[in-house]
Amino acid sequence: MRGVCVARGLGALLGNLWRRLRRAPADLAAVAAAALARLVAAFLLLAAQVACEYGMVHVVSEAGGPRGKDYCILYNPQWAHLPRDLSKASFLQLRNWTASLLCSAADLPAYGFGNQIPLVARGNCTFYEKVRLAQGSGARGLLIVSRERLVPPGGNKTQFDEIGIPVALLSYRDMLDIFRRFGRMVRVALYAPHEPVLDYNMVIIFIMAVGTVAIGGYWAGSRDVKKRYMKHKRDDGPEKQEDEAVDVTPVMTCVFVVMCCSMLVLLYYFYDFLVYVVIGIFCLASATGLYSCLAPCVRRLPFGKCRIPNNSLPYFHKRPQACMLLLALFCVAVSVVWGVFRNEDQWAWVLQDALGMAFCLYMLKTIRLPTFKACTLLLLVLFLYDIFFVFITPFLTKSGSSIMVEVATGPSDSATREKLPMVLKVPRLNSSPLALCDRPFSLLGFGDILVPGLLVAYCHRFDIQVQSSRVYFVACTIAYGVGLLVTFVALALMQRGQPALLYLVPCTLVTSCAVALWRRELGVFWTGSGFAVNTSLL
């Protein structure tokens, strides 16, 4: 986590450097020299002050009662290191001294903090002044309560050498929860366990993502080909009428990407307002997707075939079957339940993932790429879009943060604390400071499923048309799985959010193209002409 803290500060600095150079092209050399000097000085300052790590404070009640609980802390290991194992940490009495800022000797208690960890308020003086007074008064550690965003407690080398007790920041909300849950008499232990290389929840995300792509691609391809071969049959029954697939044109691709860029930037600057719009859209779209996925199964049920009476209502004039009406009500109810309880971290993620996979399946069935040329254009444009908003935008934003990661995980300074629902999310199964403090869930965006999934659907349609025993479909699905594994490895090595399309797009495109070359069908695969040849035989 220390590298993450330094990278954020350095990213913001490079962004400011870029803006200064862009504003003063006439005096480029002078500006560059001055900026370079500041960059070196700031880098040394960052190395000295912005080293930070997430840790945990384990709280237990002195009077028994509830089982102990971990809370997030942010500490600077240059003050004092924390043990990596809770069994090696000392449990000490926590003394609530938040009525004081601990900025002068007058703020100290009459008998000091002998073998205690004081809890003081942030503000009015430096971290060094607080911890120096606490250490001189016999404290074994210091917790500083912050109502603002947690920042690493900085200092300089001389101060680091002088202090021998750990100092960490605790959020005000966590402090309130500690005293509400455990009372005023508590004991605490500070520790910082190692982060696991990979969390087991990645296996769950992998199965959900690959399963959605495989099922969606298979369903979309089979449905499209079936409709081509059944065009001469007519069945106007309400239950047989399905939504027509939408062919994606180059113009639609450009418009879609522009809309994505605009929406992402707007969310970055107006997150607290637009997040509710996205939540509402997700509720409607996911209910529709869930209905579309369950409808084929419900139609096969032997009961509920009766239709509602004749009427003039907008939807009911088609006289839907009773079972389909009940299904629609069920899907809306599931979506509403998620919308109401979306912030219940213990179980709401299950509903979100189920609705999200249904939404992705619905989109894969509805949106169709007519040629491999269209697939290549869409995937490459979104490939560049993903890289830009993850890796380039940190140099352009004032905070040095990635727009994509900031929006996907929710801004840390958001007043609403809402998260965008357009992701698959699974809670971390390993106990770690990162899971407790920064990212309690592992995320995979719907775009990382839908975009390669459209190519998988095209491969399946092409397989059936040229009677290739689904070799394109299987190869592209396996390539998607491999690309996802590469994404997870990159995430573990870099310990930062990754643009999944950076790995998924090359894997799926190159594999599909290689299969076409191997079968000597690249021409028809590129233009989709295999569809026209086979359809003309009907």
Side-chain angles (χ1 to χ4, degrees), residues 379 382-383 385-386 447-448 451-452 487 499-506:
L379 267 66
L382 292 176
F383 170 81
Y385 158 86
D386 224 19
D448 302 326
V451 175
T487 304
L501 293 182
L502 173 64
Y503 312 101
L504 295 174
V505 168

Side-chain angles (χ1 to χ4, degrees), residues 166-178:
V167 52
L169 268 74
L170 176 77
S171 74
Y172 181 75
R173 183 175 58 180
D174 285 344
M175 182 202 72
L176 294 179
D177 187 73
I178 288 173

Side-chain angles (χ1 to χ4, degrees), residues 76 121 188 328 341 399 525:
N76 188 333
V188 299
F341 298 100
S399 62
F525 186 64

Side-chain angles (χ1 to χ4, degrees), residues 339-355:
V340 173
F341 298 100
R342 62 186 179 276
N343 293 320
E344 293 289 337
D345 287 344
Q346 291 187 347
W347 58 269
W349 63 272
V350 178
L351 273 186
Q352 179 173 321
D353 289 348
L355 291 170

Side-chain angles (χ1 to χ4, degrees), residues 25 46 51 60 62 114 131 155 284 290 300 367 369 379 387 391 406 420 444 464 468 471 496 500 528 538:
L46 283 171
V60 295
E62 288 191 342
V131 71
L284 293 174
L290 187 61
R300 290 181 170 84
I367 299 175
L369 294 172
L379 267 66
I387 292 175
F391 288 144
E406 192 83 358
L420 287 182
L444 184 69
I464 297 176
S468 58
V471 62
R496 58 176 298 184
L538 293 178

Side-chain angles (χ1 to χ4, degrees), residues 171-226:
S171 74
Y172 181 75
R173 183 175 58 180
D174 285 344
M175 182 202 72
L176 294 179
D177 187 73
I178 288 173
F179 293 133
R180 178 187 61 81
R181 184 183 298 265
F182 298 99
R184 295 288 170 175
M185 301 299 293
V186 298
R187 302 182 74 82
V188 299
L190 307 180
Y191 70 113
H194 287 289
E195 290 291 340
V197 177
L198 273 178
D199 197 282
Y200 297 117
N201 65 357
M202 293 295 188
V203 177
I204 301 175
I205 289 183
F206 179 84
I207 293 172
M208 290 194 299
V210 176
T212 302
V213 166
I215 295 171
Y218 186 89
W219 186 18
S222 299
R223 174 182 175 273
D224 183 74
V225 172
K226 180 180 177 181

